Amino acid sequence: MARETVLTPGHLIHPAFVREGITEPVPIASMPGQQQETIASLILAVRDAVDAGCAAVLLFGVPEHKDAEGSQAWAAEGIVQRALRSLRHEFGDRCVLIADCCLDEYTDHGHCGVLRADGSVDNDATVTLYTRVAVSQAAAGADMIAPSGMMDGQVAAIRGALDSNGFADTAVLAYSAKYASVMYGPFRDAADCAPRFGDRRSYQMDVANQREAVRRAVGDVVEGADMVMVKPALTALDVVARVRDATDVPVAAYCVSGEYAMLHAAAAAGAFDERSAVLESLTAIRRAGADLIITYDARRAARWLREELNGV
Ligand code: PBG
C-alpha cells in the first residue's frame, strides 16, 4: 500500500545480439545465460520476451565482414536489417523494435566511427554514416533508432535524415549520457567490438561528470530525441535522477553487460540470491527515475514479476 515505485514487465527492454554466418546460437562466455542469436533463435527469444510482457527489443548486429567504415551497418541485406524484417514479419505490431545505431560492431578497428589518418575519430564524417545506418534500419522496419556512438550532433542529423527519407514516424532513443565505463567489458565479447587500439574516451563521457550528462540529455531533446538514455545504470543512479528531473521525455537506463556479469558472478559465488538481487537492482533503477530499463535479465525478471503477482 505504501510502495512508491512499481516495477512491471512493461518497464523492461530485452537487448539481443544477432550474428551473421552462424547456424546455431553461440553462448557468450563472459555473460552466462546470454547468447549470440541466429535469426531463427532470435525469433524464439523475442517471442519469449513478448509473451513475458517486455516493452521492447533492442537489436545489435554482429556482421561476418568488417571494414574501415563499417559498411555492413547500412547494407540493405545486413544482419540487423534482415533480422528487423523477419521480426516485423513475425510479430507485426506486437513488439517495439529498437535498432542500436553505431559502427563499432562493423568496423575492423572497433571504434564507433571512422578514423582520420592520425587514428582519431572524425565526428562529422561519422555522423554522416550514422544517418545512412538509421535510414536503412528504418526502411527495414525499426520503430525506433538508438544512436549509441556519442558523436556531437548525431540526434539532429538522424532526425533530419529520417524525416527527409519518409520516416517521420520513426522515433529516436538517444544514448545521451553514455560513460566511458569498464562495465561494457563483456559486451565487447558479445558484439566482437573491442577497440583494436586506444579507448573511447574522446567520445564517451568522463565518469566524474554529472552536469555534463544533464546538458547532453537536454541538448538531445532539443535536437529531436523522443527518449533519452543513461548508461550504465547502477553506477549512475544520481544521473538517472537528474536527467529525469531535467527532461520531459521518457528516460531509459541501460543496465549493461558488466552489471549483469557482476551480479550473476556474485550470485553464483553464493553471495546472495540471484532473483532477489536482480529484482532489487531493477527496482532501485526505477526508484532513481528510469521509465524504462534495458537489461539482459528482462525476460527472466518479467517472469519473476508475474510469479510475484500470482503469489509464487
Ligand atoms: C556501442 C555500444 C556499447 C554498448 C552498447 N552500445 C559498447 C561500447 O560503447 O563500448 C555496451 C552495452 C553493454 O555493455 O551491455 N555500440
Side-chain angles (χ1 to χ4, degrees), residues 60 100 102 104-105 112 148 175 178 183-185 187-188 193 200 204 231 254-258 296:
F60 295 93
D100 183 84
C102 198
D104 57 327
E105 300 94 347
C112 296
S148 67
Y175 283 69
K178 177 172 174 182
M183 294 286 170
Y184 312 148
F187 178 92
R188 294 174 184 174
C193 64
R200 303 204 203 285
Q204 298 183 348
K231 173 181 173 192
Y254 196 150
C255 195
V256 299
S257 57
Y296 300 97

Side-chain angles (χ1 to χ4, degrees), residues 89-111:
H89 178 260
E90 193 71 27
F91 298 103
D93 278 343
R94 288 175 59 222
C95 182
V96 175
L97 303 178
I98 310 174
D100 183 84
C101 176
C102 198
L103 292 175
D104 57 327
E105 300 94 347
Y106 302 89
T107 53
D108 51 16
H109 45 74
H111 277 287

Side-chain angles (χ1 to χ4, degrees), residues 186-209:
F187 178 92
R188 294 174 184 174
D189 285 347
D192 183 28
C193 64
R196 300 287 179 267
F197 62 89
D199 55 46
R200 303 204 203 285
R201 284 183 296 171
S202 72
Y203 40 100
Q204 298 183 348
M205 274 184 28
D206 185 340
V207 168
N209 289 4

